[in-house]
Structure formats: C-alpha cells, structure tokens
C-alpha cells in the first residue's frame, strides 16, 4: 500500500511516499535526482530504554554484532561489499532506536537493500561465541576511549543518571556498564534479536536518485519473505514530573584540564510545541558565539573559555537541556554558576528580543535544511518521525513548527523549567593545581553510541 507524493506546505518541495509490506515493514521513499546517489536507512524501534537492569548496553552491543556477518555475508563482508561499491555505511544506538545506513552510487542501491535484508532475516545463522566475544571487546574498548579515559568523559552518564532516577528506563546511557557488558551471554543476544529485529518493528527509508517502482520491487523481493513476529514488550513508562523539585549536585575530582560546570535540566518531550520553544531558548542562551552565555562568560567577564547550552530531544521521556562551561585559569566554579543563574533569571523574566528570536529560528532552520539537504540526512529524518511519532511526513515540515513558536512561549518555558530546582549539576575540580596554563580541550559529547 502507498500514497502519491504531494509536496506539503513548508516542505521546500520535498516529497515522500509511504508503503507497508504484508509482514509489517514500513517503507518510505523520497525521490531526489540532483546527484546519482541513494541513501538507505533502517530504524529498529529498540534502544537502551528497552533494556532491563543487569543487561545495560545490550542494544549497542547488538548494533556491533549486526556487522559481524549473516547467512550469506561472512565476517566483515558488509563493510567490504559496500565500500567496494563506492558507498559508505555505519550504525548507531540511542536511548530510543537503533539505526543502520548506507549511502551508495544509485546503480548500487540493490546491493544495499539485499545486505540489510540478509542480516534482518538471517543474522542468527552467523551469530556465535567468536563474534560475540570479538564485539564485546570492541564495545568495552569504545567505552574506555570515549568515556572512562578522556577528560569529562563520564559527565553525560553521570548527569543522565541524576536527571532520570534509578529504575527509570533512561537512567542508563546506551554504552552500558562494563559489568553488564561482561555479563551478556550469547543467548541474551539471540533473544534480543528474536524480540526486536523483525520487519514489523522497523522502518526502511530510501532517498535519492531512485526509481520508486523498481525500488519497491527490490524491497518486496528481499524483505517480503522475512516473517514478522510479536511478543515485543512495550517500553516502560518514561514520564516524570516536569521539575525535579530540588538541585542535585556532585563534585568530581579528576585529572581534567580545567574546572567545569555542567548541568542537565528536565525539559519537555520531543514532538511538542514546548520542546520547540525550549530548543529556541537554549539556542539563544548557549547556541554559539552570539549566545548570551558566551557573550557574558567568555567575551565580557572572561571567566570561561567555552560556554554552551544545547538540547537532547527525547520522545519517550523529558528532554534534557545540557549546559557545559569550562572555566578560565584561576576562576572558581561558584563565580560561573552565579553568572549563569543571573542570565537565566533575566531571560525568564524578560524573554528573548525580536532579534534573538529571528537569529535563533534562522539557526535552527539552517540546521534543518542541512539535514534534509543530503539524501542520508533526509532518510534518517524520515525514519525518525515514522518511528517516534508515527508519521514520516512530519520530517518535511518540522521547521515550520519551530518558526511558529512565539517569544512569549520561549520565555514561559524558560521561567517554568530553567530553574535551579530543576537541574542536576556536576562540578569538575582538577586533581592538579591550577597553574594558569589551562586550555579548552572539550569535545562535543555524542549521545548516539
């Protein structure tokens, strides 16, 4: 089944058609003949929020296992075949989904579809103790390199655990703990595949220089015979009060290059007008060198070498506002925190100026255009809105909803939730004495593992 592509108002002329196979696989196609490439994106509705206590990190570990071979493709063959055909590929895991994607020369599209279908339908034929141990070691090493052995590396993990209380499905991050990675068994992985890696738990998008009729024929040929299966448990309820009710705080003494103030705020769930308003608020406050916090702390006071404020959108739980400030040499964190609170209180009382609204909305519009301007970005966005909100067409008009947000709505969300009693705070203190030679070595903390 499907429907005709019709450009919606605010979609920039982009179109998408939707189809569903008999086994439940949802398919979204979007033609774009500008360049001779095609992107394939496959989202499975499973992420770390579906994991149970004692088996954290299993969704991410399984993402790695999906590249270890399937019935027809041995070992590292998936990478070798795609890259040998001139394409690129990868996969990521988040709280709310696991995705796999390839960008191919248009004439190699059939290969990418066959590869994705082969591992969806036959991964268990190749999943054994050797591949399990191999990828367990890879994931543990990734944890060491990205979390445990880098400055501020565990900040995201710590703040997430504070914002989402013990027992909450978002309490742990997708990377998982070393103990749980060690505890995962081959049977755990097999059961995980049987539960979540089914066509009726996935959305497949194909974007680019494609012939829709031929593309659908290939999809039916390779995916149509894969059986659906039920039995997937519903994700646990992620709702929480919109305000934590107190300020949670932890001081971390580590070998870091500079003192730092990091904080996470509970904010509205993705897919709401309030979340779009929060996105604009954080963009004005900490989105780049024209933001209020950068102007105050870095340019004017010179108490910080970096100051940023961004939004982690979450659909099944409150989103998180992420504040990250690295201090200048000799500056104490309480001085930074006082200035931050002063700026947030002023913003909550006065709201944004017309110029700030225009600049922030233009910045978010540019980011949206950047994502949808590439075939891979558009394929990913179509999958995201299909999996999380049930309608891929929403991806094509998302920016219109951001541009409709008013200054009063931005001020209101700031007053309601950018408050000291609605945040978890990490204060980093270096183990070495402050010698005045500190430099900013911060890197953006990725949320997709």
């Amino acid at each position: 089944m499907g429907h005709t592509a019709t450009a919606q108002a605010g979609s920039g002329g982009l179109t998408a058609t939707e189809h569903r196979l008999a086994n439940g696989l949802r398919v979204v196609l979007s033609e774009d003949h500008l360049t001779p490439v095609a992107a394939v994106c496959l989202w499975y509705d499973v992420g770390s929020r579906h994991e149970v206590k004692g088996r954290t990190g299993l969704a991410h570990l399984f993402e790695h296992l999906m590249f270890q071979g399937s019935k027809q493709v041995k070992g590292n063959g998936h990478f070798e075949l795609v890259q040998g055909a001139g394409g690129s590929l990868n996969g990521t895991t988040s709280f709310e989904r696991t995705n796999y994607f390839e960008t191919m020369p248009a004439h190699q599209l059939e290969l990418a579809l066959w590869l994705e279908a082969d591992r969806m339908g036959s991964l268990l034929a190749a999943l054994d103790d050797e591949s399990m141990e191999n990828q367990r070691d890879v994931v543990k090493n990734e944890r060491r390199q990205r979390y445990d052995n880098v400055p501020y590396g565990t900040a995201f993990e710590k703040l997430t655990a504070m914002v989402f209380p013990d027992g909450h499905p978002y309490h742990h991050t997708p990377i998982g703990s070393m103990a749980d990675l060690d505890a995962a068994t081959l049977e755990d992985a097999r059961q995980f595949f049987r539960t979540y890696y089914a066509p009726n738990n996935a959305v497949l998008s194909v974007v680019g220089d494609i012939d829709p009729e031929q593309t659908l024929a290939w999809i039916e040929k390779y995916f149509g015979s894969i059986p659906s299966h039920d039995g997937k448990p519903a994700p646990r309820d992620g709702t929480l009060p919109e305000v934590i009710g107190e300020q949670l705080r932890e001081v971390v003494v580590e070998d870091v290059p500079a003192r730092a103030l990091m904080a996470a705020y509970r904010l509205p769930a993705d897919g709401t007008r309030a979340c779009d308003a929060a996105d604009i608020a954080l963009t004005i406050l900490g989105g780049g060198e024209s933001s209020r916090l950068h102007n105050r702390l870095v340019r004017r006071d010179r108490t910080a070498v970096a100051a940023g404020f961004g939004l982690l959108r979450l659909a099944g739980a409150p989103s998180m506002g992420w504040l990250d400030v690295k201090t200048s040499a000799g500056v104490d964190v309480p001085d930074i925190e006082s200035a931050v609170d002063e700026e947030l209180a002023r913003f909550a009382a006065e709201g944004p100026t017309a110029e700030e609204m225009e600049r922030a909305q233009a910045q978010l519009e540019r980011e949206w255009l950047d994502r949808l301007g590439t075939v891979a970005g558009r394929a990913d966005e179509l999958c995201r809105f299909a999996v999380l909100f049930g309608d891929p067409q929403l991806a094509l008009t998302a920016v219109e909803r951001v541009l409709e947000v008013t200054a009063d709505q931005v001020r209101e969300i700031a007053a309601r939730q950018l408050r000291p009693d609605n945040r978890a705070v990490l204060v980093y203190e270096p183990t070495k004495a402050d010698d005045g030679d500190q430099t900013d070595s911060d890197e953006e903390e990725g949320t997709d593992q």
Side-chain angles (χ1 to χ4, degrees), residues 140-223:
K140 288 170 67 176
N141 194 47
E142 180 181 334
R143 180 183 169 92
R144 295 184 191 99
Q145 291 179 340
R146 296 184 59 187
Y147 283 76
D148 298 334
N149 297 335
V150 295
Y152 318 107
T154 58
F156 179 68
E157 189 174 46
K158 291 177 184 294
L159 286 173
T160 298
M162 294 164 77
V163 169
F164 301 113
D166 191 21
H168 190 275
Y170 293 68
H171 178 70
H172 66 278
T173 58
I175 194 68
S177 72
M178 283 292 195
D180 286 358
L181 289 170
D182 283 333
T185 66
L186 181 60
E187 183 52 37
D188 288 332
R190 287 174 172 160
Q191 187 59 41
F192 193 86
F193 179 84
R194 296 187 191 104
T195 303
Y196 295 107
Y197 279 74
N200 53 318
N201 194 45
V203 173
L204 171 68
S205 67
V206 185
V207 176
D209 188 15
I210 63 173
D211 176 335
E213 186 175 344
Q214 176 63 78
T215 302
L216 276 175
W218 284 331
I219 292 171
E220 182 65 55
K221 176 181 179 181
Y222 297 123
F223 289 89

Side-chain angles (χ1 to χ4, degrees), residues 152 155 158-159 162 247-254 256 258-264 323 325-327 331-337 423-431:
Y152 318 107
K158 291 177 184 294
L159 286 173
M162 294 164 77
Q247 180 172 236
L248 307 173
R249 197 174 193 87
E250 181 180 342
V251 177
V252 182
V253 180
E254 285 185 359
V256 292
R259 293 189 178 102
L261 171 68
M262 298 187 189
L323 174 71
V325 183
K326 304 298 192 307
T327 69
V331 175
D332 292 327
V333 169
D335 295 334
I336 294 285
E337 192 167 4
R423 70 183 177 204
V425 177
L426 285 183
V427 175
Y428 275 89
E429 290 286 346
T431 53

Side-chain angles (χ1 to χ4, degrees), residues 186-364:
L186 181 60
E187 183 52 37
D188 288 332
R190 287 174 172 160
Q191 187 59 41
F192 193 86
F193 179 84
R194 296 187 191 104
T195 303
Y196 295 107
Y197 279 74
N200 53 318
N201 194 45
V203 173
L204 171 68
S205 67
V206 185
V207 176
D209 188 15
I210 63 173
D211 176 335
E213 186 175 344
Q214 176 63 78
T215 302
L216 276 175
W218 284 331
I219 292 171
E220 182 65 55
K221 176 181 179 181
Y222 297 123
F223 289 89
S225 62
I226 302 172
S228 62
H229 59 76
D230 299 319
K232 170 191 168 184
R236 289 171 291 145
D237 184 14
T239 57
L240 287 169
E242 69 174 24
V243 174
I244 296 172
E246 61 177 319
Q247 180 172 236
L248 307 173
R249 197 174 193 87
E250 181 180 342
V251 177
V252 182
V253 180
E254 285 185 359
D255 184 13
V256 292
R259 293 189 178 102
L261 171 68
M262 298 187 189
Y265 295 74
R266 275 188 201 164
L267 291 171
D270 195 10
T272 63
R273 177 64 65 89
C275 186
D276 290 336
D279 205 354
I280 294 172
L282 300 194
T283 300
I284 293 170
L285 288 164
E289 295 185 0
S290 63
S291 66
R292 289 195 180 196
L293 291 176
H294 185 91
N295 280 325
R296 169 70 185 272
L297 299 172
V298 180
R299 286 184 176 170
R300 196 193 86 179
D301 296 353
R302 298 186 178 181
T303 52
V305 295
F309 211 169
L311 182 66
L312 172 61
R313 288 176 176 260
L314 297 171
S319 299
M320 279 206 308
W322 176 275
L323 174 71
D324 186 351
V325 183
K326 304 298 192 307
T327 69
S328 300
V331 175
D332 292 327
V333 169
D335 295 334
I336 294 285
E337 192 167 4
S338 177
V340 168
D341 285 343
E342 187 179 308
E343 290 298 321
L344 295 186
R346 184 164 66 89
F347 188 76
E350 301 172 2
T353 66
E355 180 184 357
E356 286 176 326
M357 283 291 294
E358 181 179 6
R359 186 168 60 240
Q361 287 173 316
Q363 184 173 331
L364 293 172

